Amino acid sequence: MAERQEQAAPDAVLTRIGQVVMLHHGGDREEARRRFLELWAEMGEGGDPLHRCTLAHYLADTQDDPGDELAWDLRALSAAEELADGRPGADPATVRGFYPSLHLNLAADYLKLGRREAARAHLTRARGAAGTLADDGYGTAVRAAISRLELRLLRDAAPDGDAWGPPRQRPVD
């Protein structure tokens, strides 16, 4: 019985992360980053993988430097992979649900850094993992963001910036 109550009890660390997410969404990016970093220092690299994944995922969004954002998103992916490798009590379906967003963020990070091939690779992984998402607001939003980034990559790849038509022929001299 005590074990069932413990499982039903709210996760204090995830609650704290959620509070800082609300602060960030409220517009106080600097304070959110400071508080996220405090939480990270408390839990450390050896903390619970679910906590590290969640915290690193949100901490990436508070970074000013694209390289720092990439580093935090890579930490989030690494922690998710630890979860997928068998964290006791981890729900495999929940863990699989992390991958579309994680790979989408990595694709965006790599694109910001001009690493188009890495961006494409993570975008392909995000699209492949998107089938695990429910048909709810979150799933719809992530799939739409994947589509937007795919279009951006296509548009940016076209010589004339037009993703919908063939490249224009250059006039022959």
Side-chain angles (χ1 to χ4, degrees):
M1 178 73 166
E3 183 177 313
R4 292 182 84 199
Q5 288 176 340
E6 185 177 308
Q7 289 174 351
D11 185 318
V13 174
L14 292 179
T15 298
R16 290 174 65 196
I17 292 169
Q19 291 168 341
V20 180
V21 168
M22 290 190 309
L23 179 68
H24 180 228
H25 289 171
D28 198 344
R29 188 173 190 219
E30 292 297 322
E31 181 63 16
R33 179 175 35 227
R34 186 186 68 73
R35 289 188 190 186
F36 279 144
L37 288 170
E38 286 175 0
L39 277 167
W40 187 265
E42 285 177 30
M43 86 175 64
E45 292 285 337
D48 182 293
L50 176 63
H51 297 157
R52 286 186 290 118
C53 177
T54 306
L55 181 54
H57 185 61
Y58 287 113
L59 189 50
D61 293 338
T62 67
Q63 301 305 302
D64 296 323
D65 180 84
D68 293 338
E69 186 174 0
L70 173 64
W72 285 108
D73 280 330
L74 287 169
R75 284 182 184 104
L77 179 62
S78 177
E81 288 169 347
E82 285 180 47
L83 284 168
D85 287 343
R87 172 187 184 253
D91 175 17
T94 300
V95 174
R96 284 191 304 274
F98 293 162
Y99 286 108
S101 180
L102 293 172
H103 285 293
L104 172 63
N105 285 358
L106 285 164
D109 296 343
Y110 281 119
L111 189 58
K112 288 176 193 172
L113 293 167
R115 297 176 57 188
R116 300 176 61 72
E117 289 307 314
R120 278 190 201 93
H122 280 282
L123 197 52
T124 297
R125 292 178 78 182
R127 175 63 71 195
T132 64
L133 296 171
D135 285 331
D136 58 8
Y138 175 76
T140 299
V142 171
R143 283 189 291 275
I146 291 169
S147 294
R148 284 192 305 273
L149 193 55
E150 286 172 334
L151 288 174
R152 183 173 162 204
L153 271 169
L154 283 171
R155 182 192 66 234
D156 292 351
D160 62 2
D162 180 7
W164 302 106
R168 294 191 184 122
Q169 296 289 326
R170 293 184 181 230
V172 178
D173 291 328

